[in-house]
């Protein structure tokens, strides 16, 4: 068994822009009534009006700081774990940090970690490795995502599935608490690298040579192939993840999965005969918020009381890359 | 004093696209002869023709693997440390990994770390925290950058300063070697967040609403303000970095700085009365290659014999954000 580490999520925050119901979306884009709920499982999502990644992230972060009764003075690193961003340069964490109170008083390092939808999970894993109670006591992780810009309205599947939003967590080294980190692990299956992609907007199809085209500059996923690959690799991932722990999917208290899709979410429950309520869901109310989905879902479950201190929680999901990854903690 | 960790850079690799001399660049863009060398200190840089970030990164990585006599089977994580990228989604590390030999046999996790020009340094620092000789024995770090796409030819300063290129390093946990990691530290000074930026191409000035414009979609730096901020913060950074080590800038063997600019490079030497040869430079031959500059310069110094096993090396620099950061190792 691996040694545990006294890591604790001490507080979380969130920011959600304006709510947009599926009924409103269907009307706006002339979709059949009920299409979004039926095929994507999404009843409501939030979509930015004037917000940007940095602003939403900073609001979520500030809320987490207030709840923890901490300020930037107490934070040893700001990690932004996102798939989307305000600017190609500088990194998103610097933009978020520059919007926090007392930003100029404390030169807290600001770095980005990107494993697309798993970015929060990877950031949490990295934070758990860094935190030692000495030079790293508290780390602020922020996942702030704007999916709505990279959506092609002609693609109903992604149009109805995705949402915008931000969540933040303060993770601390705390030997006095019962909370702990058990392990984190990720697998990147290169067979699926091109199954989820935004083809334009980077150096490969640079915007100078490729003017805006909703096909090229929007998120595309080959849903069927992705689901097939997920089904194929899930047993290996789960087996390898839990083999050096004293838990199984059936003995843990909560699974906080990436809210990838309706079918994706049902995979866990179907395959592993889990107790009802084990798999936490926010897909219906927030849609898929890329890397912000897992922390938003965790925070919702904590606020609803369905995850409590002491609960063994598996934060896990799939991401573009194609990766599967997770972190196991005692909340 | 901090405890050291038995971390060793076992092998490195690089890839450079076609060389473009300053004379050729000056002729092409009708600059006065000698302008580039005089003002940017760059005589030659490399610029892609058909290459892309992933391809250059994979070539550098494959070279490092061959030199180390390792394959992907031996690698526990692929970290891409870049400021530029092929696609907004998926992350760059997944693209690089998918171009390596045996990519489908080994589901090695692929994650990105972005602190712009300091990305390699941050990735090395993170790798040093992860490596433990158990589940993390060898980590492959790749920095692959294409600066040339984000350059406004009307801005002579950036036109002549930047170059493209990639470098990779395999970093291992090795108790039998004399090599070690002492520490890593970064400071992000939010006063300088907007001094270096590419304003367009992210969500803030999305390409749907902002068609390509060399002003908006190119890298801009407020050179004078940046240099002033660097001068102001450098003493604090150096003092805090070395205060819990048994070294000073004057007792270490090598400084491998980010090749930010001619003036930026001279700051170290001028201020700290360093022995000639301590500060390693490749600005003249490669230009500023964003996050690839530090590993390219390290590899060059190793190949030239000016950094040898046992040497105490400080890999450090500035980055958009605005950050200063470094890692201290015994090579």
């Amino acid at each position: 068994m691996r040694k545990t580490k006294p890591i604790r999520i001490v507080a979380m925050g969130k920011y959600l822009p304006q709510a947009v119901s599926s009924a409103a979306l269907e009307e706006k884009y002339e979709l059949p009534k009920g299409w979004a709920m039926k095929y994507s499982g999404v009843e409501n999502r939030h979509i930015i009006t004037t917000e940007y990644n940095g602003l939403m992230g900073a609001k979520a972060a500030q809320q987490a700081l207030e709840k923890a009764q901490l300020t930037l003075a107490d934070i040893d690193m700001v990690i932004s774990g996102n798939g989307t961003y305000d600017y190609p340069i500088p990194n998103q964490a610097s933009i978020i940090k520059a919007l926090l109170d007392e930003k100029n008083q404390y030169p807290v390092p600001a770095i980005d970690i990107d494993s697309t939808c798993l970015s929060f999970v990877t950031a949490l894993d990295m934070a758990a490795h860094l935190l030692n109670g000495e030079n790293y006591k508290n780390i602020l992780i922020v996942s702030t995502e704007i999916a709505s810009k990279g959506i092609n309205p002609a693609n109903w599947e992604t149009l109805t599935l995705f949402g915008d939003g931000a969540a933040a967590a303060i993770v601390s080294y705390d030997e006095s608490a019962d909370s702990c980190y058990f392990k984190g692990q990720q697998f990147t299956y290169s067979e699926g690298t091109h199954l989820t992609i935004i083809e334009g907007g980077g150096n490969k199809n640079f915007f100078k040579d490729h003017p805006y085209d909703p096909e090229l500059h929007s998120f595309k996923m080959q849903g069927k192939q992705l689901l097939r690959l997920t089904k194929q690799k899930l047993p290996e991932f789960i087996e390898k993840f839990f083999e050096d722990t004293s838990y199984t999917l059936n003995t843990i208290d909560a699974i906080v999965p990436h809210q990838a899709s309706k079918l994706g979410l049902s995979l866990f429950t179907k395959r592993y005969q889990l107790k009802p309520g084990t798999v936490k869901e926010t897909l219906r109310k927030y849609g898929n918020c890329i890397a912000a989905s897992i922390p938003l879902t965790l925070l919702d479950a904590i606020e609803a009381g369905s995850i409590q201190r002491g609960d063994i929680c598996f934060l896990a999901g799939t991401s573009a890359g194609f990766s599967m990854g997770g972190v196991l903690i005692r909340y």
Side-chain angles (χ1 to χ4, degrees), chain A residues 5-13 64 67-68 70 120-121 123-125 127-128 131 137-141 167-174 177-181 256 294-295 298-299 302 307-311 313-315 327-331:
Chain A
K5 211 173 164 184
I7 304 296
R8 182 181 174 90
I9 296 176
V10 292
M12 297 188 70
K67 282 199 213 168
L70 297 176
F120 180 84
V121 168
L124 179 59
D125 191 35
L131 287 162
K137 292 187 187 78
N138 305 296
I139 291 178
L140 171 61
I141 302 173
I170 293 164
V171 191
S172 304
Y173 187 92
D174 184 355
D178 187 39
S179 304
C180 73
Y181 160 88
V256 183
I294 287 178
L298 177 63
L299 177 53
I302 292 166
I307 287 180
Q308 300 191 329
R309 287 290 175 196
D311 282 354
C313 303
F314 182 45
L315 281 55
V327 160
L328 189 68
I329 58 169
R330 182 187 291 123
Y331 173 67

Side-chain angles (χ1 to χ4, degrees), chain A residues 84 150 196-202 205 215-220:
Chain A
T84 65
T196 41
I197 195 162
I198 296 179
E199 288 170 306
N205 300 296
E215 184 66 17
L216 193 73
H217 291 92
S218 298
F219 180 74
K220 272 190 269 197

Side-chain angles (χ1 to χ4, degrees), chain A residues 11 74 86 98 178 189 244 277 292:
Chain A
D74 305 297
D86 285 320
D178 187 39
Y189 298 102
D244 59 355

Side-chain angles (χ1 to χ4, degrees), chain A residues 235-251:
Chain A
E236 175 185 284
F237 166 61
I238 296 298
E239 191 193 320
K240 293 210 169 165
F241 189 94
F242 284 96
E243 68 183 7
D244 59 355
T245 75
S246 47
Y247 297 98
T248 69
L249 268 194
N250 298 93
T251 61

Side-chain angles (χ1 to χ4, degrees), chain A residues 200-273:
Chain A
N203 284 326
K204 196 75 192 287
N205 300 296
F206 195 62
F207 15 83
K208 186 176 179 183
D209 315 306
H210 299 273
Y212 180 76
D213 167 356
E215 184 66 17
L216 193 73
H217 291 92
S218 298
F219 180 74
K220 272 190 269 197
M221 60 180 188
Q222 297 179 47
K224 276 183 193 165
Q225 290 92 318
L226 208 58
L227 206 66
R228 198 182 307 136
L229 190 61
T230 306
K231 275 185 190 168
Q232 185 198 330
K233 301 296 186 185
L234 187 64
E236 175 185 284
F237 166 61
I238 296 298
E239 191 193 320
K240 293 210 169 165
F241 189 94
F242 284 96
E243 68 183 7
D244 59 355
T245 75
S246 47
Y247 297 98
T248 69
L249 268 194
N250 298 93
T251 61
I252 62 176
D253 300 298
I255 299 172
V256 183
H258 174 45
Q259 309 290 304
S261 69
K262 190 181 167 186
L263 283 169
L265 272 175
S266 68
L267 277 186
F268 270 118
T269 315
K270 270 191 194 163
R271 190 175 169 98
Y272 295 97
Q273 295 100 40

